[in-house]
Amino acid sequence: MGFWVDLNMINRITALLLFIGLAWGQTTKSFSIELLNERNFPTTIDTNGVYHITISGKQQSIFKMKGVTGSNMTEKITWKVKDKLYWSDGIRTDFYPVINPSSYTKNGVGYSMVGFLPEMKGKLVVIYGTYNNQTDSVRVMVE
């Protein structure tokens, strides 16, 4: 009577457990954002990933942010900018919300509108999107 070990079966089980462990540990959801230019303003992205946009000198210029969650469920994306921006009509000065603060996804994609004012020319605007404790950002040089 001896103890017989099937090494081939042990190798298969070990490989299966290793595969399951690696697959389980992988983050299947990833989050990224990008600036969309649907109105064809002059736009480039430099080698550092900074968007350079040329906006209207007389009125608000509208762009769109796109967030990709990797989830097919309806999910919330929150949006904000790094620095508060202000506008003035010559009588009063007030906070200017550059981007809508939240959006919801459909099929893993959510959008939010962004408005750049002529007074923002020469500023670097950093936009953050956050989803499930994951944050991504884009930097936009307004020209």
Side-chain angles (χ1 to χ4, degrees), residues 104-142:
Y104 288 88
T105 62
K106 181 177 181 181
N107 298 322
V109 180
Y111 299 95
S112 188
M113 301 309 290
V114 184
F116 297 100
L117 296 174
E119 294 86 354
M120 297 169 70
K121 285 188 175 194
K123 293 190 184 286
L124 179 69
V125 178
V126 182
I127 300 171
Y128 297 98
T130 302
Y131 157 75
N132 273 356
N133 297 320
Q134 299 176 62
T135 300
D136 192 15
S137 65
V138 297
R139 295 172 294 160
V140 182
M141 187 65 205
V142 183

Side-chain angles (χ1 to χ4, degrees), residues 8 23 48 57 62 67 69 82 85 89 91 115 120 141:
N8 192 24
N48 295 318
I62 304 294
T69 64
K82 181 178 179 183
L85 299 161
D89 63 3
I91 298 171
M120 297 169 70
M141 187 65 205

Side-chain angles (χ1 to χ4, degrees), residues 1-113:
M1 225 190 218
F3 184 77
W4 180 74
V5 176
D6 184 356
L7 290 178
N8 192 24
M9 181 59 78
I10 290 176
N11 286 339
R12 287 183 191 173
I13 291 172
T14 302
L16 178 63
L17 291 174
L18 181 61
F19 173 76
I20 290 171
L22 289 174
W24 188 270
Q26 294 293 318
T27 302
T28 57
K29 294 182 180 179
S30 61
F31 177 63
S32 64
I33 67 172
E34 65 178 299
L35 181 71
L36 302 179
N37 180 15
E38 296 179 330
R39 298 182 184 191
N40 297 318
F41 289 100
T43 304
T44 59
I45 302 173
D46 68 22
T47 56
N48 295 318
V50 177
Y51 290 82
H52 293 262
I53 61 171
T54 303
I55 64 169
S56 170
K58 297 182 180 183
Q59 62 192 16
Q60 182 184 50
S61 300
I62 304 294
F63 286 75
K64 186 187 282 187
M65 291 301 301
K66 176 182 178 181
V68 179
T69 64
S71 170
N72 287 328
M73 297 180 63
T74 300
E75 305 274 5
K76 182 177 183 178
I77 300 173
T78 57
W79 304 93
K80 66 179 184 176
V81 294
K82 181 178 179 183
D83 299 316
K84 285 188 175 186
L85 299 161
Y86 297 88
W87 69 275
S88 176
D89 63 3
I91 298 171
R92 64 187 178 280
T93 299
D94 201 355
F95 168 70
Y96 176 70
V98 175
I99 188 165
N100 292 332
S102 64
S103 61
Y104 288 88
T105 62
K106 181 177 181 181
N107 298 322
V109 180
Y111 299 95
S112 188
M113 301 309 290

